[in-house]
Amino acid sequence: MTSRTNRHLGGQPRGGTDDVTPSTRAQRRQLAVQRYLDGDRIETICREMGCAKSWLYKWNKRYQATEPPWAQEHSRRPETTPTKTPEGIEATIIQLRQTLSPDGAETVSARVIQAHLSHHPLASLPSLRTISRMLNRQPKKGASQSGTS
């Protein structure tokens, strides 16, 4: 929900967003769409409910009388990430760091790993920034063993 839809619930201020449960949101969506289907003007519904026209159009488009969960929020996460580096290449990069610094004491740079990868037959060589991100996501081997006593 946008900031415009968070302002009011049935014309009354709601306060924070913590007091709104998913079922309350679904009921609000159902009420708005039902009012639209009953012939109420979009401007009137949006003004009284404190929502944007685009919000009402979105839920009206998703409305399906035969499927009750139509009013539930959909995930915004993409179903696929076509540009993501394959897991095999990431595993090779992590393994290469462990090979170059077995005890984890020395820092292995992304540039060094990229130079080593250039000798392997890869479809495309990951950028320095991509390699650096992968290295930062994975804990170093010696990092978990170092601590203060």
Side-chain angles (χ1 to χ4, degrees):
M1 292 180 12
T2 66
S3 60
R4 287 186 277 179
T5 59
N6 284 333
R7 286 192 308 230
H8 297 80
L9 178 60
Q12 300 296 319
R14 272 201 315 224
T17 57
D18 297 337
D19 58 343
V20 180
T21 62
S23 63
T24 305
R25 288 184 181 139
Q27 291 170 353
R28 185 167 185 254
R29 293 169 188 145
Q30 290 170 346
L31 174 64
V33 171
Q34 187 59 48
R35 286 184 62 184
Y36 177 76
L37 294 174
D38 289 343
D40 287 0
R41 294 185 60 223
I42 291 175
E43 293 81 7
T44 306
I45 298 168
C46 293
R47 184 179 59 250
E48 290 176 2
M49 296 188 78
C51 64
K53 289 181 186 179
S54 59
W55 178 84
L56 183 54
Y57 285 127
K58 174 176 89 169
W59 291 109
N60 186 50
K61 182 179 173 186
R62 289 187 186 176
Y63 169 74
Q64 295 177 358
T66 57
E67 295 182 32
W70 68 266
Q72 300 300 318
E73 188 68 45
H74 295 180
S75 173
R76 295 179 183 198
R77 182 179 181 189
E79 292 182 18
T80 62
T81 312
T83 58
K84 184 178 181 200
T85 305
E87 291 179 16
I89 293 176
E90 186 167 355
T92 302
I93 290 170
I94 300 303
Q95 207 247 332
L96 191 54
R97 175 174 67 179
Q98 292 170 349
T99 302
L100 295 172
S101 179
D103 59 356
E106 295 181 36
T107 303
V108 181
S109 71
R111 191 172 307 281
V112 170
I113 290 179
Q114 190 182 48
H116 280 276
L117 286 175
S118 65
H119 302 297
H120 296 325
L122 297 174
S124 67
L125 195 61
S127 70
L128 290 174
R129 181 68 183 122
T130 300
I131 294 170
S132 178
R133 279 191 209 113
M134 289 178 193
L135 295 175
N136 289 334
R137 275 196 300 256
Q138 300 294 324
K140 293 180 183 176
K141 192 173 185 180
S144 63
Q145 297 170 352
S146 65
T148 57
S149 310

